[in-house]
Amino acid sequence: MKKIIAALLAFLMLLALSACGSKTPAESPTFDVPAPTVELERTPDPTPAPQAVVDPEEIEWGYQAPGISDTQYWYVDGDKSATSFLFFEDGCLTMVDGETRSTIDTKISDKHIVDAETNGGLFDFVFTDVLTCYDLVCKEWYKRADYEAVVESLTGAAFVCEAGSQWKYTFNADGTMVYDNDGTLKTGTWWIQDARTINNHYDDEGNTGGWFEITYNDDGWSIKSIKDTDVFYPEK
């Protein structure tokens, strides 16, 4: 009897092993993996060229003459320590590089100043404000003063008369101004005419007004003083 049971158990084990061996292994799950996205390197768009904002016909150029301080040179990036600069006059452009000086006839074309002979082959100036221009040919900025520095200096503090603090001007960044005449206040407007001059007029006087001559500090374009009949210094 024991032999029969043992033989039966052996037979059942053999069947079990046979069944396991005949099973097909489960298929591995598949996943749809997206192909890697290749980021193409994009070349940044070049900085657009400055556009003409101010018409050269409306710009006060200043002048140059022996004994006259109102030279109003245009320096690369406003670096007035440089020995090379430009100087605009009606109908011509003078270029100075150390001891070398040359003058070229110009014309105004669609708010651009270009050389008259090649119509913009040598230079092509556009003006973004009355103190700043850009040469589209040489791709350089020129300034006869730093507009932002002048405005910041002018509006940073009241200007007090050297004859007495009871007279002072306050210039605001929005183009308005207040004149304190010993306690009597007068309002008006101001604007930059050129590198050396601030124009102004009072509200109660229509379009009539006056002007201030600017004196700069030696180390930059901050204003040292302004002058009409009197001299005014920034209040400390």
PDB file of all heavy atoms in Angstrom, residues 135-164:
ATOM      1  N   ASP A 135      24.767 106.696 -35.732  1.00  0.00           N
ATOM      2  CA  ASP A 135      25.190 106.566 -37.119  1.00  0.00           C
ATOM      3  C   ASP A 135      24.866 105.150 -37.595  1.00  0.00           C
ATOM      4  O   ASP A 135      25.463 104.174 -37.132  1.00  0.00           O
ATOM      5  CB  ASP A 135      26.693 106.837 -37.238  1.00  0.00           C
ATOM      6  CG  ASP A 135      27.170 106.800 -38.681  1.00  0.00           C
ATOM      7  OD1 ASP A 135      26.356 106.525 -39.579  1.00  0.00           O
ATOM      8  OD2 ASP A 135      28.370 107.056 -38.904  1.00  0.00           O
ATOM      9  N   LEU A 136      23.904 105.031 -38.495  1.00  0.00           N
ATOM     10  CA  LEU A 136      23.463 103.730 -38.989  1.00  0.00           C
ATOM     11  C   LEU A 136      24.520 103.043 -39.844  1.00  0.00           C
ATOM     12  O   LEU A 136      24.463 101.828 -40.031  1.00  0.00           O
ATOM     13  CB  LEU A 136      22.172 103.894 -39.803  1.00  0.00           C
ATOM     14  CG  LEU A 136      20.952 104.377 -39.025  1.00  0.00           C
ATOM     15  CD1 LEU A 136      19.842 104.798 -39.975  1.00  0.00           C
ATOM     16  CD2 LEU A 136      20.454 103.304 -38.064  1.00  0.00           C
ATOM     17  N   VAL A 137      25.487 103.803 -40.357  1.00  0.00           N
ATOM     18  CA  VAL A 137      26.553 103.221 -41.167  1.00  0.00           C
ATOM     19  C   VAL A 137      27.661 102.655 -40.274  1.00  0.00           C
ATOM     20  O   VAL A 137      28.034 101.485 -40.376  1.00  0.00           O
ATOM     21  CB  VAL A 137      27.124 104.253 -42.155  1.00  0.00           C
ATOM     22  CG1 VAL A 137      28.316 103.672 -42.928  1.00  0.00           C
ATOM     23  CG2 VAL A 137      26.039 104.694 -43.139  1.00  0.00           C
ATOM     24  N   CYS A 138      28.191 103.481 -39.378  1.00  0.00           N
ATOM     25  CA  CYS A 138      29.275 103.045 -38.481  1.00  0.00           C
ATOM     26  C   CYS A 138      28.760 102.308 -37.250  1.00  0.00           C
ATOM     27  O   CYS A 138      29.539 101.707 -36.519  1.00  0.00           O
ATOM     28  CB  CYS A 138      30.100 104.243 -38.037  1.00  0.00           C
ATOM     29  SG  CYS A 138      30.952 105.075 -39.388  1.00  0.00           S
ATOM     30  N   LYS A 139      27.440 102.384 -37.021  1.00  0.00           N
ATOM     31  CA  LYS A 139      26.812 101.726 -35.862  1.00  0.00           C
ATOM     32  C   LYS A 139      27.431 102.209 -34.545  1.00  0.00           C
ATOM     33  O   LYS A 139      27.855 101.435 -33.707  1.00  0.00           O
ATOM     34  CB  LYS A 139      26.901 100.201 -35.980  1.00  0.00           C
ATOM     35  CG  LYS A 139      26.106  99.650 -37.161  1.00  0.00           C
ATOM     36  CD  LYS A 139      26.206  98.138 -37.241  1.00  0.00           C
ATOM     37  CE  LYS A 139      25.249  97.584 -38.275  1.00  0.00           C
ATOM     38  NZ  LYS A 139      25.403  98.203 -39.625  1.00  0.00           N
ATOM     39  N   GLU A 140      27.450 103.529 -34.381  1.00  0.00           N
ATOM     40  CA  GLU A 140      27.967 104.130 -33.155  1.00  0.00           C
ATOM     41  C   GLU A 140      27.020 105.217 -32.654  1.00  0.00           C
ATOM     42  O   GLU A 140      26.391 105.920 -33.446  1.00  0.00           O
ATOM     43  CB  GLU A 140      29.358 104.745 -33.384  1.00  0.00           C
ATOM     44  CG  GLU A 140      30.457 103.705 -33.502  1.00  0.00           C
ATOM     45  CD  GLU A 140      31.829 104.345 -33.565  1.00  0.00           C
ATOM     46  OE1 GLU A 140      31.987 105.324 -34.313  1.00  0.00           O
ATOM     47  OE2 GLU A 140      32.744 103.858 -32.859  1.00  0.00           O
ATOM     48  N   TRP A 141      26.963 105.332 -31.312  1.00  0.00           N
ATOM     49  CA  TRP A 141      26.192 106.384 -30.668  1.00  0.00           C
ATOM     50  C   TRP A 141      27.085 107.606 -30.453  1.00  0.00           C
ATOM     51  O   TRP A 141      28.265 107.471 -30.095  1.00  0.00           O
ATOM     52  CB  TRP A 141      25.664 105.915 -29.314  1.00  0.00           C
ATOM     53  CG  TRP A 141      24.551 104.925 -29.400  1.00  0.00           C
ATOM     54  CD1 TRP A 141      24.637 103.569 -29.303  1.00  0.00           C
ATOM     55  CD2 TRP A 141      23.158 105.220 -29.586  1.00  0.00           C
ATOM     56  NE1 TRP A 141      23.396 102.998 -29.424  1.00  0.00           N
ATOM     57  CE2 TRP A 141      22.470 103.984 -29.603  1.00  0.00           C
ATOM     58  CE3 TRP A 141      22.441 106.400 -29.742  1.00  0.00           C
ATOM     59  CZ2 TRP A 141      21.090 103.909 -29.771  1.00  0.00           C
ATOM     60  CZ3 TRP A 141      21.066 106.320 -29.910  1.00  0.00           C
ATOM     61  CH2 TRP A 141      20.400 105.095 -29.919  1.00  0.00           C
ATOM     62  N   TYR A 142      26.508 108.780 -30.644  1.00  0.00           N
ATOM     63  CA  TYR A 142      27.198 110.033 -30.377  1.00  0.00           C
ATOM     64  C   TYR A 142      26.310 110.897 -29.484  1.00  0.00           C
ATOM     65  O   TYR A 142      25.095 110.941 -29.652  1.00  0.00           O
ATOM     66  CB  TYR A 142      27.489 110.799 -31.675  1.00  0.00           C
ATOM     67  CG  TYR A 142      28.534 110.145 -32.556  1.00  0.00           C
ATOM     68  CD1 TYR A 142      28.164 109.155 -33.460  1.00  0.00           C
ATOM     69  CD2 TYR A 142      29.873 110.516 -32.478  1.00  0.00           C
ATOM     70  CE1 TYR A 142      29.115 108.545 -34.273  1.00  0.00           C
ATOM     71  CE2 TYR A 142      30.828 109.917 -33.290  1.00  0.00           C
ATOM     72  CZ  TYR A 142      30.439 108.931 -34.182  1.00  0.00           C
ATOM     73  OH  TYR A 142      31.371 108.332 -34.985  1.00  0.00           O
ATOM     74  N   LYS A 143      26.962 111.586 -28.521  1.00  0.00           N
ATOM     75  CA  LYS A 143      26.222 112.477 -27.624  1.00  0.00           C
ATOM     76  C   LYS A 143      26.986 113.782 -27.472  1.00  0.00           C
ATOM     77  O   LYS A 143      28.208 113.789 -27.338  1.00  0.00           O
ATOM     78  CB  LYS A 143      26.047 111.840 -26.242  1.00  0.00           C
ATOM     79  CG  LYS A 143      25.267 110.543 -26.242  1.00  0.00           C
ATOM     80  CD  LYS A 143      25.162 109.978 -24.831  1.00  0.00           C
ATOM     81  CE  LYS A 143      24.383 108.662 -24.823  1.00  0.00           C
ATOM     82  NZ  LYS A 143      24.231 108.134 -23.444  1.00  0.00           N
ATOM     83  N   ARG A 144      26.256 114.901 -27.461  1.00  0.00           N
ATOM     84  CA  ARG A 144      26.893 116.156 -27.088  1.00  0.00           C
ATOM     85  C   ARG A 144      26.692 116.430 -25.603  1.00  0.00           C
ATOM     86  O   ARG A 144      27.284 117.356 -25.042  1.00  0.00           O
ATOM     87  CB  ARG A 144      26.393 117.313 -27.939  1.00  0.00           C
ATOM     88  CG  ARG A 144      24.896 117.534 -27.971  1.00  0.00           C
ATOM     89  CD  ARG A 144      24.552 118.751 -28.825  1.00  0.00           C
ATOM     90  NE  ARG A 144      23.123 118.868 -29.052  1.00  0.00           N
ATOM     91  CZ  ARG A 144      22.563 119.911 -29.657  1.00  0.00           C
ATOM     92  NH1 ARG A 144      23.308 120.911 -30.070  1.00  0.00           N
ATOM     93  NH2 ARG A 144      21.259 119.951 -29.851  1.00  0.00           N
ATOM     94  N   ALA A 145      25.847 115.663 -24.972  1.00  0.00           N
ATOM     95  CA  ALA A 145      25.681 115.589 -23.522  1.00  0.00           C
ATOM     96  C   ALA A 145      24.819 114.361 -23.267  1.00  0.00           C
ATOM     97  O   ALA A 145      24.180 113.850 -24.182  1.00  0.00           O
ATOM     98  CB  ALA A 145      25.022 116.843 -22.956  1.00  0.00           C
ATOM     99  N   ASP A 146      24.847 113.870 -22.044  1.00  0.00           N
ATOM    100  CA  ASP A 146      24.041 112.697 -21.698  1.00  0.00           C
ATOM    101  C   ASP A 146      22.663 113.177 -21.249  1.00  0.00           C
ATOM    102  O   ASP A 146      22.510 113.739 -20.171  1.00  0.00           O
ATOM    103  CB  ASP A 146      24.726 111.911 -20.584  1.00  0.00           C
ATOM    104  CG  ASP A 146      24.038 110.588 -20.301  1.00  0.00           C
ATOM    105  OD1 ASP A 146      22.798 110.567 -20.191  1.00  0.00           O
ATOM    106  OD2 ASP A 146      24.739 109.564 -20.187  1.00  0.00           O
ATOM    107  N   TYR A 147      21.654 112.950 -22.099  1.00  0.00           N
ATOM    108  CA  TYR A 147      20.316 113.494 -21.846  1.00  0.00           C
ATOM    109  C   TYR A 147      19.788 113.057 -20.477  1.00  0.00           C
ATOM    110  O   TYR A 147      19.298 113.878 -19.697  1.00  0.00           O
ATOM    111  CB  TYR A 147      19.366 113.046 -22.958  1.00  0.00           C
ATOM    112  CG  TYR A 147      18.027 113.741 -22.940  1.00  0.00           C
ATOM    113  CD1 TYR A 147      17.815 114.901 -23.684  1.00  0.00           C
ATOM    114  CD2 TYR A 147      16.968 113.252 -22.179  1.00  0.00           C
ATOM    115  CE1 TYR A 147      16.585 115.556 -23.673  1.00  0.00           C
ATOM    116  CE2 TYR A 147      15.739 113.899 -22.157  1.00  0.00           C
ATOM    117  CZ  TYR A 147      15.553 115.045 -22.907  1.00  0.00           C
ATOM    118  OH  TYR A 147      14.347 115.684 -22.881  1.00  0.00           O
ATOM    119  N   GLU A 148      19.869 111.755 -20.187  1.00  0.00           N
ATOM    120  CA  GLU A 148      19.335 111.243 -18.917  1.00  0.00           C
ATOM    121  C   GLU A 148      20.084 111.833 -17.728  1.00  0.00           C
ATOM    122  O   GLU A 148      19.483 112.168 -16.706  1.00  0.00           O
ATOM    123  CB  GLU A 148      19.385 109.726 -18.896  1.00  0.00           C
ATOM    124  CG  GLU A 148      18.432 109.076 -19.900  1.00  0.00           C
ATOM    125  CD  GLU A 148      18.450 107.556 -19.797  1.00  0.00           C
ATOM    126  OE1 GLU A 148      19.228 107.024 -18.978  1.00  0.00           O
ATOM    127  OE2 GLU A 148      17.697 106.914 -20.548  1.00  0.00           O
ATOM    128  N   ALA A 149      21.404 111.953 -17.853  1.00  0.00           N
ATOM    129  CA  ALA A 149      22.198 112.516 -16.754  1.00  0.00           C
ATOM    130  C   ALA A 149      21.849 113.981 -16.528  1.00  0.00           C
ATOM    131  O   ALA A 149      21.779 114.446 -15.384  1.00  0.00           O
ATOM    132  CB  ALA A 149      23.686 112.361 -17.050  1.00  0.00           C
ATOM    133  N   VAL A 150      21.621 114.709 -17.613  1.00  0.00           N
ATOM    134  CA  VAL A 150      21.269 116.130 -17.481  1.00  0.00           C
ATOM    135  C   VAL A 150      19.918 116.276 -16.781  1.00  0.00           C
ATOM    136  O   VAL A 150      19.765 117.075 -15.849  1.00  0.00           O
ATOM    137  CB  VAL A 150      21.232 116.804 -18.868  1.00  0.00           C
ATOM    138  CG1 VAL A 150      20.704 118.233 -18.750  1.00  0.00           C
ATOM    139  CG2 VAL A 150      22.628 116.818 -19.480  1.00  0.00           C
ATOM    140  N   VAL A 151      18.925 115.485 -17.218  1.00  0.00           N
ATOM    141  CA  VAL A 151      17.596 115.568 -16.606  1.00  0.00           C
ATOM    142  C   VAL A 151      17.657 115.166 -15.135  1.00  0.00           C
ATOM    143  O   VAL A 151      17.067 115.820 -14.268  1.00  0.00           O
ATOM    144  CB  VAL A 151      16.588 114.692 -17.369  1.00  0.00           C
ATOM    145  CG1 VAL A 151      15.262 114.624 -16.624  1.00  0.00           C
ATOM    146  CG2 VAL A 151      16.368 115.231 -18.778  1.00  0.00           C
ATOM    147  N   GLU A 152      18.381 114.070 -14.852  1.00  0.00           N
ATOM    148  CA  GLU A 152      18.486 113.613 -13.457  1.00  0.00           C
ATOM    149  C   GLU A 152      19.153 114.667 -12.586  1.00  0.00           C
ATOM    150  O   GLU A 152      18.726 114.921 -11.452  1.00  0.00           O
ATOM    151  CB  GLU A 152      19.283 112.308 -13.409  1.00  0.00           C
ATOM    152  CG  GLU A 152      19.417 111.739 -12.018  1.00  0.00           C
ATOM    153  CD  GLU A 152      20.187 110.431 -11.990  1.00  0.00           C
ATOM    154  OE1 GLU A 152      20.533 109.913 -13.073  1.00  0.00           O
ATOM    155  OE2 GLU A 152      20.449 109.926 -10.873  1.00  0.00           O
ATOM    156  N   SER A 153      20.184 115.291 -13.111  1.00  0.00           N
ATOM    157  CA  SER A 153      20.883 116.321 -12.342  1.00  0.00           C
ATOM    158  C   SER A 153      20.011 117.553 -12.138  1.00  0.00           C
ATOM    159  O   SER A 153      19.990 118.150 -11.062  1.00  0.00           O
ATOM    160  CB  SER A 153      22.170 116.706 -13.079  1.00  0.00           C
ATOM    161  OG  SER A 153      22.862 117.727 -12.403  1.00  0.00           O
ATOM    162  N   LEU A 154      19.262 117.913 -13.179  1.00  0.00           N
ATOM    163  CA  LEU A 154      18.427 119.111 -13.098  1.00  0.00           C
ATOM    164  C   LEU A 154      17.268 118.930 -12.127  1.00  0.00           C
ATOM    165  O   LEU A 154      16.875 119.865 -11.425  1.00  0.00           O
ATOM    166  CB  LEU A 154      17.895 119.450 -14.489  1.00  0.00           C
ATOM    167  CG  LEU A 154      17.154 120.774 -14.641  1.00  0.00           C
ATOM    168  CD1 LEU A 154      18.101 121.948 -14.419  1.00  0.00           C
ATOM    169  CD2 LEU A 154      16.505 120.872 -16.021  1.00  0.00           C
ATOM    170  N   THR A 155      16.707 117.727 -12.072  1.00  0.00           N
ATOM    171  CA  THR A 155      15.519 117.482 -11.252  1.00  0.00           C
ATOM    172  C   THR A 155      15.859 116.878  -9.885  1.00  0.00           C
ATOM    173  O   THR A 155      14.968 116.635  -9.082  1.00  0.00           O
ATOM    174  CB  THR A 155      14.559 116.532 -11.978  1.00  0.00           C
ATOM    175  OG1 THR A 155      15.228 115.285 -12.256  1.00  0.00           O
ATOM    176  CG2 THR A 155      14.093 117.136 -13.292  1.00  0.00           C
ATOM    177  N   GLY A 156      17.137 116.667  -9.615  1.00  0.00           N
ATOM    178  CA  GLY A 156      17.518 116.011  -8.366  1.00  0.00           C
ATOM    179  C   GLY A 156      17.389 116.882  -7.135  1.00  0.00           C
ATOM    180  O   GLY A 156      17.210 116.381  -6.028  1.00  0.00           O
ATOM    181  N   ALA A 157      17.488 118.182  -7.317  1.00  0.00           N
ATOM    182  CA  ALA A 157      17.381 119.118  -6.185  1.00  0.00           C
ATOM    183  C   ALA A 157      17.005 120.483  -6.730  1.00  0.00           C
ATOM    184  O   ALA A 157      17.183 120.771  -7.910  1.00  0.00           O
ATOM    185  CB  ALA A 157      18.705 119.200  -5.426  1.00  0.00           C
ATOM    186  N   ALA A 158      16.485 121.323  -5.833  1.00  0.00           N
ATOM    187  CA  ALA A 158      16.186 122.696  -6.233  1.00  0.00           C
ATOM    188  C   ALA A 158      17.491 123.437  -6.515  1.00  0.00           C
ATOM    189  O   ALA A 158      18.548 123.108  -5.960  1.00  0.00           O
ATOM    190  CB  ALA A 158      15.398 123.398  -5.131  1.00  0.00           C
ATOM    191  N   PHE A 159      17.429 124.453  -7.386  1.00  0.00           N
ATOM    192  CA  PHE A 159      18.592 125.287  -7.677  1.00  0.00           C
ATOM    193  C   PHE A 159      18.418 126.621  -6.971  1.00  0.00           C
ATOM    194  O   PHE A 159      17.442 127.344  -7.196  1.00  0.00           O
ATOM    195  CB  PHE A 159      18.732 125.488  -9.186  1.00  0.00           C
ATOM    196  CG  PHE A 159      19.396 124.334  -9.878  1.00  0.00           C
ATOM    197  CD1 PHE A 159      18.712 123.139 -10.063  1.00  0.00           C
ATOM    198  CD2 PHE A 159      20.703 124.419 -10.316  1.00  0.00           C
ATOM    199  CE1 PHE A 159      19.313 122.071 -10.691  1.00  0.00           C
ATOM    200  CE2 PHE A 159      21.325 123.352 -10.945  1.00  0.00           C
ATOM    201  CZ  PHE A 159      20.626 122.169 -11.134  1.00  0.00           C
ATOM    202  N   VAL A 160      19.375 126.920  -6.104  1.00  0.00           N
ATOM    203  CA  VAL A 160      19.293 128.096  -5.233  1.00  0.00           C
ATOM    204  C   VAL A 160      20.200 129.198  -5.774  1.00  0.00           C
ATOM    205  O   VAL A 160      21.340 128.943  -6.181  1.00  0.00           O
ATOM    206  CB  VAL A 160      19.700 127.727  -3.794  1.00  0.00           C
ATOM    207  CG1 VAL A 160      19.673 128.967  -2.897  1.00  0.00           C
ATOM    208  CG2 VAL A 160      18.776 126.658  -3.243  1.00  0.00           C
ATOM    209  N   CYS A 161      19.709 130.412  -5.751  1.00  0.00           N
ATOM    210  CA  CYS A 161      20.479 131.546  -6.249  1.00  0.00           C
ATOM    211  C   CYS A 161      21.659 131.830  -5.319  1.00  0.00           C
ATOM    212  O   CYS A 161      21.519 131.804  -4.089  1.00  0.00           O
ATOM    213  CB  CYS A 161      19.580 132.781  -6.343  1.00  0.00           C
ATOM    214  SG  CYS A 161      20.413 134.235  -7.033  1.00  0.00           S
ATOM    215  N   GLU A 162      22.811 132.104  -5.933  1.00  0.00           N
ATOM    216  CA  GLU A 162      23.989 132.397  -5.113  1.00  0.00           C
ATOM    217  C   GLU A 162      23.820 133.706  -4.339  1.00  0.00           C
ATOM    218  O   GLU A 162      24.485 133.928  -3.327  1.00  0.00           O
ATOM    219  CB  GLU A 162      25.238 132.467  -5.984  1.00  0.00           C
ATOM    220  CG  GLU A 162      25.258 133.619  -6.970  1.00  0.00           C
ATOM    221  CD  GLU A 162      26.558 133.697  -7.755  1.00  0.00           C
ATOM    222  OE1 GLU A 162      27.500 132.964  -7.402  1.00  0.00           O
ATOM    223  OE2 GLU A 162      26.636 134.480  -8.716  1.00  0.00           O
ATOM    224  N   ALA A 163      22.913 134.566  -4.796  1.00  0.00           N
ATOM    225  CA  ALA A 163      22.688 135.848  -4.104  1.00  0.00           C
ATOM    226  C   ALA A 163      21.812 135.692  -2.873  1.00  0.00           C
ATOM    227  O   ALA A 163      21.741 136.602  -2.042  1.00  0.00           O
ATOM    228  CB  ALA A 163      22.058 136.849  -5.068  1.00  0.00           C
ATOM    229  N   GLY A 164      21.119 134.552  -2.751  1.00  0.00           N
ATOM    230  CA  GLY A 164      20.267 134.341  -1.586  1.00  0.00           C
ATOM    231  C   GLY A 164      19.320 133.167  -1.794  1.00  0.00           C
ATOM    232  O   GLY A 164      18.776 132.988  -2.884  1.00  0.00           O
TER     233      GLY A 164
END
